[in-house]
């Protein structure tokens, strides 16, 4: 596949959703350097691997999770090659019985839909309903790949900018977790 890597926001906003444009507006306002690839909807990790190879950034799985009572919500970022086991994560965050969060909560809190789950959604979580969990290996790469709240574009950002500048700007902290290979 011939993906085109472009620096910064698209020249035209035609056909793009407002939530995607809000991501570019925020990144530009924060002075963060980023690169972008536009593509067909990325619905599988295989497609994401091809995109991330073109991006030259770490493949991240972003999982929207909740506790059994649906009172605590989490966004877990792990390298794409790691497998998520709830029994490994639960004791680290003091929450038993984690499961995947309902799509309705994902849309309500992060303004994103399945297939577009991304750390960028935290910009829409003004009430801090979602706790960010980051596997330690995600922090090791120079670049991070993520969606701008839609799954028809992917961004390449400096990892340190995402976890320093972006998180501070959207008033979120992160909890670093340690998950097996």
């Amino acid at each position: 596949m011939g993906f085109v890597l472009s620096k910064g926001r698209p020249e035209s906003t035609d056909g793009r959703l407002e939530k995607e444009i809000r991501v570019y507006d925020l990144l530009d306002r924060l002075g963060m350097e980023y690169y972008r690839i536009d593509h067909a909807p990325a619905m599988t990790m295989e497609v994401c691997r091809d995109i991330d190879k073109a991006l030259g950034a770490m493949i991240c799985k972003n999982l929207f999770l909740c506790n059994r009572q649906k009172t605590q919500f989490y966004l877990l970022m792990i390298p794409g090659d790691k497998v998520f086991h709830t029994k490994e994560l639960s004791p680290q965050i003091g929450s038993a019985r984690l499961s995947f969060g309902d799509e309705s909560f994902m849309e309500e809190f992060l303004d994103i839909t399945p297939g577009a789950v991304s750390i960028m959604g935290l910009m829409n979580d003004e009430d801090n309903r979602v706790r960010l969990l980051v596997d330690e290996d995600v922090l090791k790469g120079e670049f991070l790949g993520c969606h701008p709240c839609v799954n028809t574009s992917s961004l390449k950002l400096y990892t340190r900018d995402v976890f320093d500048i972006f998180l501070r700007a959207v008033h979120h902290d992160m909890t670093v977790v340690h998950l097996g290979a």
Side-chain angles (χ1 to χ4, degrees):
M1 289 188 191
F3 295 112
V4 177
L5 186 65
S6 303
K7 187 171 183 178
R9 70 189 304 125
E11 290 181 23
S12 169
T13 58
D14 291 350
R16 295 184 187 265
L17 297 176
E18 180 187 330
K19 60 184 168 184
E20 178 185 4
I21 302 306
R22 284 196 317 260
V23 172
Y24 304 136
D25 290 345
L26 177 60
L27 295 176
D28 291 345
R29 194 167 57 250
L30 296 174
M32 291 175 58
E33 184 176 342
Y34 61 97
Y35 298 85
R36 186 190 83 260
I37 289 178
D38 295 327
H39 49 76
M43 296 302 286
T44 66
M45 282 307 293
E46 290 73 31
V47 173
C48 291
R49 277 189 197 90
D50 292 340
I51 293 165
D52 288 335
K53 183 184 273 188
L55 279 177
M58 173 179 281
I59 300 168
C60 262
K61 278 192 261 191
N62 297 275
L63 306 176
F64 184 70
L65 307 169
C66 68
N67 63 356
R68 184 171 44 175
Q69 299 81 9
K70 298 182 181 175
T71 56
Q72 295 176 312
F73 299 88
Y74 307 92
L75 176 61
L76 172 64
M77 297 177 71
I78 62 174
D81 58 356
K82 280 196 178 183
V83 178
F84 167 65
H85 298 287
T86 185
K87 68 179 186 282
E88 199 176 4
L89 180 61
S90 294
Q92 294 183 56
I93 62 171
S95 179
R97 300 263 183 154
L98 290 173
S99 63
F100 290 100
D102 292 348
E103 187 176 323
S104 60
F105 289 118
M106 186 188 308
E107 288 189 53
E108 179 184 348
F109 301 151
L110 302 176
D111 193 18
I112 50 180
T113 54
V117 181
S118 160
I119 189 171
M120 293 293 127
L122 294 177
M123 69 183 281
N124 302 311
D125 181 28
E126 294 176 5
D127 296 327
N128 284 70
R129 296 289 312 268
V130 180
R131 179 176 169 193
L132 178 63
L133 309 174
V134 181
D135 180 78
E136 62 187 343
D137 290 336
V138 170
L139 302 172
K140 294 177 181 175
E142 181 181 9
F143 294 103
L144 180 73
C146 67
H147 291 305
C149 297
V150 296
N151 69 352
T152 53
S153 291
S154 294
L155 302 178
K156 173 182 179 176
L157 301 124
Y158 284 98
T159 303
R160 68 176 183 275
D161 288 353
V162 172
F163 293 109
D164 293 339
I165 299 168
F166 175 78
L167 279 187
R168 194 173 315 124
V170 299
H171 310 290
H172 275 73
D173 296 319
M174 71 172 160
T175 301
V176 177
V177 295
H178 315 280
L179 303 175

